[in-house]
Amino acid sequence: MIWETNIQTSTSSKSLLHVLSNSKVVKDNLVLVLAGQWIYAVSSIDGVISWGKEFTLDGLEIKQVVQSPENDIVYVVGIAGSSKLAVYQLNAKTGEIVKDAQESLPDGLCGEILLGSSNVLVALDETRSALFIVEFKGESISYNKVQISEFVQDFSGTVKLLPLMSNGIIALQSSSTVSLLKLKGMDGLEVIHSFDQPASVSDALTITEKYEAFAVVQHVGSQIEFIVKVTSDLTNEIIREKVDIDQHRGSVHKVFLNNYVRTDKSHGFRALVVMEDHSILLIQQGAVVWSREDGLASIVDVMASELPVEKDGVSVADVEHNLFEWLKGHVLKLKGTLMLASVDELAAIQALRVRSSEKNKMTRDHNGFRKLLIVLTKAGKVVALHTGDGRIIWSNLLPSLRASKSGEMPSALRIYQWQVPHHRVMRENPSILVVGRSGASSVAPGVLCVLDSYSGEELNSRSFDHSVAQIIPLTLKDSSEQRLHLIVDSNSNAHLYPRSLDALNSFISEMSNQYFYSVDIQKNAIRGYSLQKSCDFNSDDTYCFSTKLLWSIIFPSDAERISVSEARKMNEVVHTQAKIIADQDVMYKYLSKNLIFVATVSPNAAGEIGSAAPEEASLVAYLIDAVSGRILHRVTHHGAQGPVHAVVSENWVVYHYFNLRAHRFEIAVIEIYDQSRADNKDVLKLILGKHNLSAPMTSYSRPEVMVKSQSYFFTHSVKAMAVTQTAKGITSKQLLIGTIGDQVLALDKRFLDPRRSLNPTQQEKEEGIIPLTDSLPIIPQSYVTHTLQVEALRGIVSIPAKLESTTLVFTYGVDLFYTRLAPSRTYDSLTDEFSYALLLITIVALVAALFVTWIWSEKKELRDKWR
């Protein structure tokens, strides 16, 4: 990185970037940055802000910046409200306004504006059915409104303006066609070419001083067609090629054209194509040169799935094929050893080694290290990654989460385990559930897809007639091992899936024990609900249940704002409910799964760090029971500010915030213990069975709890937090912290023990209590990512392996990172460096020594008998 400049803006708006071209001094081009009503000029050499200008027109949002080719004038085009168009002429060197003009246009504008020529704008109206041709001369603006239906036949769906071509050529895209329009001054537009198939058009690329070229990529059946045309003569096609691509990539979204000079001095072209699933292809000479699954840079949810069990029966064909591959592999390895292998054969040898590796097999191992990581991307694509080498096993761009013809962009929400059949009883493959919305709005109808975990095949999909506000996976299952899910809509009605009589009966028998809560950040409230038998609006739907408000906590908006809420993972395993402390006393953990953590900050401290004075800032942490709404614990941190990151596990909560008074980050820990079981320390009561350890925990009675807490200084800002999960919960916990440097730090939970003291007793030292320090240590060897960085880190997931000592850690952002972690070392397995040969030699030597000594003993006994 050469330089970086941060520009503070008072209002949140879409930012634009424009680089001024300067033929005289190429090295000192200004970069124009636009945000809200401000425009800044930044030097491209050192990032210094040369000048800044604020436009005083109320509600102005800048949409376009255009540079005049004749002089140092910059045209800034913006919209105030929805109908007023404003054009400013600025001096590019000083930022002073030379001229400005404003005009109110009828029917409003949608915000898409292009510059057709030096002083003519083309804007799309608010209904997206007409175009405004706007001409500005000096301080006056004149316009002409043209209906799109007058020059584009049978257009339908959402219309949008594509990036400007050149020579007055404008591209207009509808749901099924792309039309190239020629601007005829203020008189109107004429269609000079159209593409019937769904297509994408690139920007114009300057080839020589005489002509420019642009690319069109369109779908033709199962192929895409790559066309390059010249802007001055649209009938002249330089290139027309058809390329085979994977159908799971969807339609073409964007195309970028690039040219190169061939050996015969002619111009060749290549295109960088962005697909609907956010993957990138480079097309050249009728083939895909390379492709990248860049959709993996926008993962929204992750889950793990077991691989299939290795089958015992093997067919004759498989044996013959494996024998042939075995002979072929050995011949290749022999040629490689004798240094007779070609480059392709060396690559084949390397591929054989990778394929034959134990960690890359497509079957599950006895330690549970080999798994499928199934990820859901923002584009609505589901991808399965092998944990052995990260390769893509299968991918599926879900049809129900693709953009509709009306232009609605669906949104993928979450991915869940749907069915895990027992491999010894049922022959079916496990399946996963994907839930999304048919539009970007929170009230848009929901969609549901069920996929096969091993193949990615879509088994079932359906569209809801209700919205998706909250998804609640239940612990209940039906007779076919399908997990039950409740989907709560925006009207607070709960819908049960799968819709089967068996699932309905299972749910109704346990409905009285089902509770859920919702956190409404906009209304600054938390509410708890129970379920009732039928919906208020649709009593015929037996799978719809109305909800009853049991409790609500509404925080005063002038004093507190909800920052974050967290709860325990439903699949977390707790090994023991008791904790034995140094004096042989027993403390019982409060292990209710209904415990939720909520952190609120004062309104002044809701912004960025430093936006409030220490006296105005405060952070309040709550522990709340989700069934009764009872606040179990409350603590206030004065002078503290967000952003807050938290994680809840077993009976403790760890959260991270900024201390304005100390000018440092802090991590606080809260541990909660159940005092109602404190009397169960008498051995006689345990022997006679007069204890209440097996009594069910209930949220109806007021619990007697004891809380211990402590806070520590921490060096780093935090992006994400998680906690390690193991199969039985025996292994010590570690906190996985995603730092601002895009690395993952593993911090032992013992450092966050609230019972730490300055001078621990000998018994406390034996227990493992670490002496108290004001700061948490950052040990370089504790970085899980080592020296690597997970660019734009967003999430950390811990997956338990079958081996108790080991957990699998997956970190995602723009990059992906996967590793195995042993928080308490591998106490239940031998290391990879263990010498099996030495063990075998030792055993053989012991057996030989035993045999020799036995012979000596027999001979000695025989001699003694002869005497």
Side-chain angles (χ1 to χ4, degrees):
M1 181 180 288
I2 307 302
W3 54 263
E4 180 183 34
T5 299
N6 293 318
I7 298 174
Q8 300 291 335
T9 57
S10 57
T11 57
S12 60
S13 63
K14 183 180 178 182
S15 299
L16 300 174
L17 198 70
H18 179 78
V19 181
L20 294 178
S21 59
N22 188 346
S23 58
K24 297 178 183 178
V25 186
V26 180
K27 292 184 179 180
D28 193 16
N29 293 344
L30 288 177
V31 179
L32 297 183
V33 182
L34 304 97
Q37 295 182 316
W38 276 87
I39 179 171
Y40 297 92
V42 181
S43 172
S44 61
I45 296 177
D46 51 14
V48 175
I49 299 175
S50 300
W51 52 264
K53 186 67 180 177
E54 183 183 15
F55 302 100
T56 56
L57 182 62
D58 290 338
L60 179 70
E61 187 174 356
I62 300 171
K63 294 293 182 182
Q64 189 72 270
V65 174
V66 183
Q67 184 180 5
S68 174
E70 292 85 11
N71 48 36
D72 293 328
I73 295 295
V74 174
Y75 294 95
V76 179
V77 182
I79 298 176
S82 61
S83 60
K84 180 174 282 189
L85 182 72
V87 180
Y88 297 89
Q89 296 182 29
L90 272 68
N91 188 318
K93 293 182 178 179
T94 62
E96 294 298 324
I97 297 177
V98 179
K99 295 178 181 177
D100 69 285
Q102 300 172 12
E103 183 69 33
S104 294
L105 302 180
D107 300 331
L109 298 170
C110 72
E112 295 185 16
I113 301 173
L114 292 177
L115 186 73
S117 62
S118 58
N119 63 338
V120 176
L121 293 170
V122 178
L124 197 60
D125 77 334
E126 198 167 20
T127 62
R128 294 182 179 267
S129 61
L131 292 172
F132 285 104
I133 302 173
V134 182
E135 183 180 25
F136 49 92
K137 293 181 180 179
E139 297 182 0
S140 64
I141 293 178
S142 58
Y143 65 89
N144 180 24
K145 186 177 181 180
V146 182
Q147 295 294 326
I148 298 175
S149 57
E150 294 179 8
F151 49 85
V152 177
Q153 302 297 324
D154 301 328
F155 84 96
S156 61
T158 302
V159 177
K160 62 179 179 179
L161 289 171
L162 296 178
L164 179 69
M165 294 285 97
S166 63
N167 300 325
I169 298 175
I170 295 166
L172 190 71
Q173 184 181 40
S174 64
S175 60
S176 58
T177 62
V178 172
S179 303
L180 300 181
L181 312 175
K182 181 74 174 179
L183 184 64
K184 300 187 297 182
M186 291 291 292
D187 299 331
L189 297 154
E190 64 173 339
V191 179
I192 53 178
H193 202 283
S194 64
F195 302 93
D196 295 332
Q197 301 291 335
S200 184
V201 184
S202 74
D203 292 346
L205 179 68
T206 303
I207 307 301
T208 63
E209 294 181 357
K210 294 183 179 180
Y211 74 97
E212 296 177 331
F214 67 94
V216 178
V217 177
Q218 62 181 355
H219 278 270
V220 180
S222 61
Q223 298 175 313
I224 60 171
E225 194 171 34
F226 174 44
I227 306 168
V228 178
K229 290 177 175 285
V230 180
T231 55
S232 57
D233 183 12
L234 294 176
T235 60
N236 180 18
E237 291 183 356
I238 303 174
I239 291 177
R240 180 182 282 267
E241 299 170 342
K242 289 186 178 180
V243 184
D244 294 318
I245 64 163
D246 183 6
Q247 293 306 301
H248 283 302
R249 298 188 184 277
S251 58
V252 178
H253 262 203
K254 289 184 180 180
V255 56
F256 302 91
L257 186 63
N258 178 252
N259 72 309
Y260 61 95
V261 180
R262 299 192 182 104
T263 54
D264 59 355
K265 305 300 182 183
S266 62
H267 288 280
F269 294 90
R270 61 173 73 95
L272 190 69
V273 180
V274 181
M275 305 299 292
E276 185 180 356
D277 66 342
H278 297 175
S279 61
I280 298 176
L281 314 174
L282 183 69
I283 297 174
Q284 184 176 336
Q285 296 180 354
V288 177
V289 180
W290 54 260
S291 63
R292 280 174 55 94
E293 287 286 350
D294 268 22
L296 293 173
S298 56
I299 292 175
V300 296
D301 200 11
V302 183
M303 65 160 291
S305 176
E306 294 288 349
L307 285 164
V309 178
E310 194 166 3
K311 301 292 190 299
D312 295 331
V314 181
S315 66
V316 176
D318 289 339
V319 172
E320 291 176 351
H321 176 73
N322 291 338
L323 182 61
F324 175 74
E325 289 291 330
W326 180 80
L327 290 172
K328 181 182 175 182
H330 276 274
V331 170
L332 284 173
K333 289 177 183 178
L334 181 61
K335 291 178 73 175
T337 306
L338 298 175
M339 302 182 69
L340 299 175
S342 63
V343 176
D344 293 337
E345 288 174 335
L346 288 173
I349 292 170
Q350 185 64 26
L352 277 173
R353 286 174 180 167
V354 172
R355 196 161 58 245
S356 62
S357 174
E358 281 289 325
K359 70 175 185 178
N360 298 330
K361 284 186 176 180
M362 277 300 295
T363 54
R364 67 181 71 174
D365 60 317
H366 65 279
N367 288 329
F369 294 160
R370 291 197 297 264
K371 293 181 186 292
L372 283 180
L373 288 172
I374 302 177
V375 301
L376 177 65
T377 68
K378 190 177 180 181
K381 188 172 186 177
V382 185
V383 184
L385 307 172
H386 196 290
T387 57
D389 54 1
R391 70 183 185 277
I392 295 175
I393 303 301
W394 55 261
S395 61
N396 191 349
L397 181 62
L398 302 178
S400 53
L401 290 179
R402 294 182 60 181
S404 61
K405 290 186 177 181
S406 62
E408 280 287 332
M409 288 299 296
S411 56
L413 295 177
R414 295 294 302 272
I415 185 168
Y416 298 95
Q417 193 74 56
W418 178 252
Q419 184 183 26
V420 187
H422 197 284
H423 65 274
R424 299 187 185 277
V425 180
M426 304 180 72
R427 295 290 181 182
E428 299 177 12
N429 292 343
S431 54
I432 58 173
L433 170 70
V434 179
V435 183
R437 296 192 184 104
S438 58
S441 171
S442 61
V443 296
V447 292
L448 175 149
C449 304
V450 179
L451 277 73
D452 189 302
S453 296
Y454 293 163
S455 64
E457 178 188 357
E458 187 172 349
L459 304 176
N460 185 21
S461 68
R462 63 179 299 162
S463 298
F464 305 149
D465 55 359
H466 57 82
S467 59
V468 178
Q470 192 173 355
I471 308 159
I472 306 171
L474 304 176
T475 56
L476 305 174
K477 295 181 181 180
D478 62 8
S479 58
S480 61
E481 296 291 322
Q482 289 183 343
R483 176 164 289 180
L484 275 58
H485 292 74
L486 279 178
I487 297 180
V488 184
D489 61 21
S490 56
N491 297 320
S492 296
N493 290 312
H495 304 263
L496 179 67
Y497 294 91
R499 295 196 162 218
S500 65
L501 188 60
D502 187 21
L504 183 63
N505 292 334
S506 300
F507 177 72
I508 289 179
S509 63
E510 295 290 336
M511 189 176 68
S512 59
N513 291 324
Q514 301 298 327
Y515 300 87
F516 71 95
Y517 70 95
S518 66
V519 179
D520 192 337
I521 296 179
Q522 301 296 328
K523 295 181 179 179
N524 213 33
I526 304 174
R527 297 180 176 89
Y529 300 90
S530 64
L531 298 169
Q532 296 179 339
K533 282 193 175 180
S534 61
C535 283
D536 298 332
F537 71 96
N538 188 2
S539 58
D540 297 332
D541 188 357
T542 56
Y543 298 96
C544 179
F545 302 89
S546 61
T547 58
K548 178 183 178 181
L549 180 64
L550 297 178
W551 57 268
S552 63
I553 300 175
I554 301 174
F555 300 97
S557 299
D558 56 344
E560 298 180 55
R561 297 280 177 87
I562 296 177
S563 177
V564 69
S565 65
E566 290 291 338
R568 275 181 60 192
K569 291 186 179 296
M570 296 300 293
N571 59 350
E572 184 184 32
V573 179
V574 181
H575 174 62
T576 177
Q577 58 180 322
K579 182 176 182 180
I580 301 175
I581 58 178
D583 56 358
Q584 304 304 314
D585 198 1
V586 179
M587 298 173 68
Y588 293 96
K589 302 174 183 177
Y590 185 79
L591 295 175
S592 172
K593 289 191 175 182
N594 301 314
L595 183 69
I596 56 175
F597 169 79
V598 178
T600 64
V601 294
S602 57
N604 294 332
E608 295 182 355
I609 293 174
S611 59
E615 296 77 16
E616 302 172 335
S618 65
L619 182 148
V620 186
Y622 295 89
L623 293 179
I624 302 172
D625 188 283
V627 174
S628 62
R630 187 177 290 113
I631 297 176
L632 302 177
H633 181 66
R634 178 181 183 272
V635 60
T636 303
H637 301 272
H638 295 286
Q641 186 177 7
V644 183
H645 295 85
V647 64
V648 181
S649 178
E650 294 191 357
N651 67 320
W652 50 266
V653 182
V654 171
Y655 52 102
H656 176 276
Y657 57 92
F658 187 77
N659 188 331
L660 289 169
R661 298 183 189 276
H663 303 285
R664 297 176 72 177
F665 290 101
E666 284 187 1
I667 288 184
V669 59
I670 299 174
E671 290 188 357
I672 181 168
Y673 294 93
D674 189 354
Q675 287 295 95
S676 63
R677 306 188 179 200
D679 295 334
N680 296 318
K681 301 172 187 177
D682 192 344
V683 178
L684 185 60
K685 284 186 177 181
L686 293 173
I687 295 173
L688 297 176
K690 293 184 178 180
H691 58 81
N692 63 349
L693 292 179
S694 59
M697 294 185 66
T698 175
S699 294
Y700 297 118
S701 61
R702 183 177 182 87
E704 299 177 26
V705 296
M706 178 181 67
V707 174
K708 293 181 178 293
S709 61
Q710 185 62 272
S711 60
Y712 305 90
F713 290 126
F714 190 65
T715 307
H716 298 293
S717 175
V718 168
K719 285 188 172 183
M721 289 177 71
V723 65
T724 55
Q725 305 283 341
T726 55
K728 304 296 182 183
I730 301 171
T731 307
S732 300
K733 300 283 187 180
Q734 281 190 340
L735 213 64
L736 302 174
I737 301 173
T739 66
I740 194 66
D742 291 329
Q743 291 186 298
V744 179
L745 177 70
L747 186 65
D748 198 317
K749 171 62 176 61
R750 292 186 305 149
F751 290 110
L752 289 161
D753 192 334
R755 294 172 53 238
R756 288 174 63 184
S757 59
L758 287 173
N759 298 306
T761 63
Q762 184 61 34
Q763 292 156 332
E764 289 177 334
K765 289 179 181 178
E766 291 173 0
E767 185 189 343
I769 300 260
I770 301 171
L772 179 64
T773 56
D774 60 348
S775 299
L776 294 173
I778 305 296
I779 304 170
Q781 292 82 358
S782 297
Y783 280 101
V784 177
T785 48
H786 309 294
T787 58
L788 302 175
Q789 285 184 305
V790 184
E791 192 67 34
L793 185 150
R794 292 197 316 278
I796 305 170
V797 180
S798 176
I799 304 155
K802 286 184 181 178
L803 204 63
E804 169 57 28
S805 65
T806 308
T807 181
L808 313 177
V809 178
F810 178 66
T811 307
Y812 59 91
V814 173
D815 299 330
L816 306 180
F817 178 84
Y818 169 83
T819 189
R820 295 203 302 258
L821 195 64
S824 300
R825 309 246 180 129
T826 51
Y827 57 84
D828 52 357
S829 64
L830 298 175
T831 62
D832 296 335
E833 294 81 13
F834 183 79
S835 177
Y836 291 94
L838 183 60
L839 176 63
L840 184 62
I841 291 169
T842 305
I843 293 172
V844 170
L846 288 173
V847 171
L850 184 63
F851 184 71
V852 170
T853 54
W854 176 75
I855 293 174
W856 288 349
S857 175
E858 288 292 321
K859 287 183 178 181
K860 184 177 181 299
E861 186 178 353
L862 183 61
R863 284 197 303 268
D864 291 343
K865 285 182 179 181
W866 275 107
R867 289 177 186 174

